């Protein structure tokens, strides 16, 4: 009876681990899509209203808890404090948030590219930079989504299989 | 660092102002959003929160023969705005045309004599009313192209410019004056630093629409302003009724004279302070 209970626990927990890993793969495309929406809003703020950067970032960031919201809000706060120029502020915000996000190094580098000339060029150039970053994020998102579907399924099965294997070995 | 044009500090060894310093200064002035100030850069100055104006010099970039922007910015002239409530106390009684109007007035002085401070206080008093003179207060429209009169930040005036005052912020004044008349039905339209032909045309429109106009212009005297090519037509048509001349004699804001703009004679022999 105890053995059976142990076996259920082992299979159950490894299944849960597999699910957690699988979910982290679907997190990335979600976060990328949030970032893409945020950049689209930022584009509107800059092209139509010419809103100053720190305010535009806050407005474009969307939900506070989201990764996009966190990066945009942190960058905005640093810019408003005047301690760092906008490009550097953006870099700091991306680097600090990266570790708690599901983004990859490739996504991080795409985001970091946005820091070049941030806030120190004309609106036309600024909009070009936004469009460039958004395109690259979109490409990353498509790749991430394809990968997520495949890999998530694999991890879910792998979790259960490993659990079952361990049970068999111990039995 | 130069304060009011004089070298105040002699550091040893001297500090060399670098390109990086200039860029950082510019970014701080523009709150890290240079794109939001493209039009201002084209004019050679940026107005920051509080209505302070920062003049800029650098290399001008031309596009199709017109100034497209400024680059390699190397010098800054920061003019700190002062709000003085009561700056117009001594002149209001000469500008009010009983019972509920103001004379068409032009405030004239060289730079740095307090034109904007005076015109802001005129806006406030005309809008709130002047009980001691029996003036009830009228609707005032301010066409604030350089954001210096009302110093709007995010649409909210940072200075006291009256309870019945509508401010059209950052709008080219010629268009702004006409827009105000169409949309806000003001009794008085106020604007700063007129000097272009389109300003003169818009002023004629305002005056002929039965609305009082108060404006400022650079110049040393009434005759000097009347000779300015763009403004000449306003004087030929005797459009202005009053001219207030300011000077630096007792510091900025010294009122030298209030003239009848049609005859050029002072309207009072009393000292104006």
């Amino acid at each position: 009876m105890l053995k059976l209970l142990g076996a259920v626990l082992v299979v159950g927990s490894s299944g849960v681990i597999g699910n957690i890993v699988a979910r982290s793969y679907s997190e990335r495309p979600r976060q990328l899509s949030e970032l893409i929406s945020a950049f689209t809003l930022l584009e509107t703020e800059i092209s139509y209203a010419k809103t100053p950067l720190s305010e535009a970032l806050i407005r474009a960031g969307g939900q506070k808890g989201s990764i996009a919201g966190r990066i945009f809000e942190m960058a905005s706060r640093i810019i408003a404090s005047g301690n760092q120029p906008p490009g550097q502020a953006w870099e700091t915000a991306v680097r600090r948030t990266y570790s708690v996000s599901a983004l990859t190094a490739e996504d991080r580098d795409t985001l970091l590219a946005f820091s070049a000339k941030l806030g120190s060029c004309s609106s036309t150039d600024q909009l070009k930079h936004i469009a460039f970053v958004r395109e690259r994020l979109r490409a990353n998102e498509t790749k991430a989504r394809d990968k997520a579907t495949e890999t998530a399924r694999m991890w879910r099965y792998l979790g259960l299989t490993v659990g079952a294997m361990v049970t068999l070995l111990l039995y | 660092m130069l304060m009011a044009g004089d070298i105040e500090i002699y550091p040893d060894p001297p500090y060399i102002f670098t390109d990086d310093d200039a860029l950082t200064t510019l970014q701080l002035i523009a709150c890290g959003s240079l794109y939001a100030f493209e039009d201002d850069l084209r004019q050679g100055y940026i107005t920051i929160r509080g209505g302070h104006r920062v003049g800029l010099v650098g290399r001008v970039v031309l596009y199709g023969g017109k100034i497209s922007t400024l680059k390699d910015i190397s010098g800054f002239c920061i003019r700190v705005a002062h709000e003085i409530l009561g700056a117009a106390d001594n002149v209001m009684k000469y500008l009010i045309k009983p019972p509920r109007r103001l004379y068409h007035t032009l405030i004239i002085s060289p730079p740095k004599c307090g034109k904007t401070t005076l015109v802001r206080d005129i806006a406030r008093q005309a809008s709130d009313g002047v009980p001691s003179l029996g003036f009830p207060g009228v609707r005032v429209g301010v066409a604030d192209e350089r954001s210096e009169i009302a110093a709007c930040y995010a649409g909210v005036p940072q200075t006291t410019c009256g309870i019945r005052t509508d401010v059209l912020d950052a709008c080219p004044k010629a268009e702004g004056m006409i827009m105000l008349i169409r949309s806000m039905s003001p009794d008085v339209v106020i604007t700063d630093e007129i000097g272009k032909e389109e300003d003169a045309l818009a002023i004629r429109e305002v005056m002929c629409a039965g609305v009082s106009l108060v404006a400022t212009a650079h110049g040393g005297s009434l005759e000097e302003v009347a000779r300015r090519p763009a403004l000449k037509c306003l004087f030929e048509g005797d459009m202005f009724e009053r001219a207030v001349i300011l000077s630096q004699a007792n510091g900025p804001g010294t009122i030298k004279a209030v003239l009848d703009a049609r005859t050029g004679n002072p309207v009072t022999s009393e000292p104006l302070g």
Side-chain angles (χ1 to χ4, degrees), chain A residues 64-148:
Chain A
K64 281 211 158 150
S66 69
I67 286 300
R70 276 173 156 187
I71 298 180
F72 278 50
E73 202 234 310
M74 193 186 290
S76 155
R77 226 181 30 233
I78 304 174
I79 293 169
S81 72
N83 291 337
Q84 287 179 14
Q88 215 179 322
W90 176 259
E91 251 187 71
T92 312
V94 170
R95 284 188 198 284
R96 281 201 200 148
T97 319
Y98 171 64
S99 53
V100 294
S101 73
L103 303 175
T104 63
E106 190 190 3
D107 304 330
R108 182 198 58 200
D109 293 343
T110 307
L111 287 173
L112 287 179
F114 185 58
S115 67
K117 288 264 168 198
L118 180 61
S120 53
C121 58
S122 68
S123 56
T124 326
D125 289 337
Q126 204 69 81
L127 295 174
K128 275 186 203 158
H129 291 167
I130 293 180
F132 172 73
V133 173
R134 211 178 36 196
E135 280 316 303
R136 281 184 55 184
L137 286 176
R138 197 162 278 153
N140 289 5
E141 191 209 0
T142 316
K143 270 193 281 174
R145 216 172 272 285
D146 293 346
K147 200 174 162 193

Side-chain angles (χ1 to χ4, degrees), chain A residues 46 50-53 79 82 85-86 119-123 126, chain B residues 23 27-28 30-39 153-154:
Chain A
I46 289 179
K50 300 248 168 111
T51 316
L53 200 55
I79 293 169
S120 53
C121 58
S122 68
S123 56
Q126 204 69 81
Chain B
L23 191 67
Q27 280 187 333
L28 285 171
C31 302
S33 325
L34 214 52
Y35 61 80
F37 295 96
E38 279 173 286
D39 293 332
Y153 184 79

Side-chain angles (χ1 to χ4, degrees), chain B residues 101-123:
Chain B
R101 293 205 50 187
L102 290 189
Y103 286 109
H104 299 312
T105 304
L106 187 63
I107 299 164
I108 301 167
S109 86
K112 286 171 48 180
C113 288
K115 287 188 294 294
T116 307
T117 312
L118 181 64
V119 87
R120 183 187 301 128
D121 205 51
I122 291 175

